[in-house]
Amino acid sequence: MTEHPAALQSRPDTSGVPVDAGVEGVPGREWASVSELADRRQLRHHSVGELVNRGQAQDLVTKAPHPTDARFVRVEMTRHGERALAWLSALHRDELRRVGAALAVPDWSDTTGGAA
């Protein structure tokens, strides 16, 4: 069994993790705005705002005002959020490895398709 940080030994509440994954996926910086997260997830701004609030309550992300544009809130991952995301990624990667053969695209090149 894979070793996990003590804080994550039991299954963590991952309801805010989609926000974590969105923050982690912004190229070139360590934060994302709520609007960017909403666009990436194809969700409404207020729905992502609620996910951010849940993630903040679980110490997965933090919110901070944007230093130059008051219209934006910066969402940043915490170390706890990074560990939770790594744990979930490993869990999903292991699951995909287990079911990989069932997900493989069949090779139809050997079939004649009824042609004579």
Side-chain angles (χ1 to χ4, degrees), residues 15-16 19-20 49-64 73-76 78 80:
S15 60
V19 171
D20 287 357
E50 182 56 35
L51 280 174
V52 169
N53 290 341
R54 287 184 199 172
Q56 188 176 26
Q58 297 167 26
D59 191 35
L60 299 172
V61 295
T62 60
K63 294 190 298 187
V73 172
R74 291 171 55 146
V75 180
E76 302 175 17
T78 63
H80 179 71

Side-chain angles (χ1 to χ4, degrees), residues 14-26 32-45 47-49 51-52 77 85 88-89 92:
T14 56
S15 60
V17 171
V19 171
D20 287 357
V23 171
E24 190 73 9
V26 175
S33 71
V34 173
S35 296
E36 289 172 325
L37 293 171
D39 288 345
R40 285 173 168 254
R41 295 276 173 204
Q42 298 182 2
L43 295 171
R44 294 185 180 177
H45 185 274
S47 298
V48 172
L51 280 174
V52 169
M77 286 185 61
L85 184 59
L88 270 178
S89 296
H92 291 163

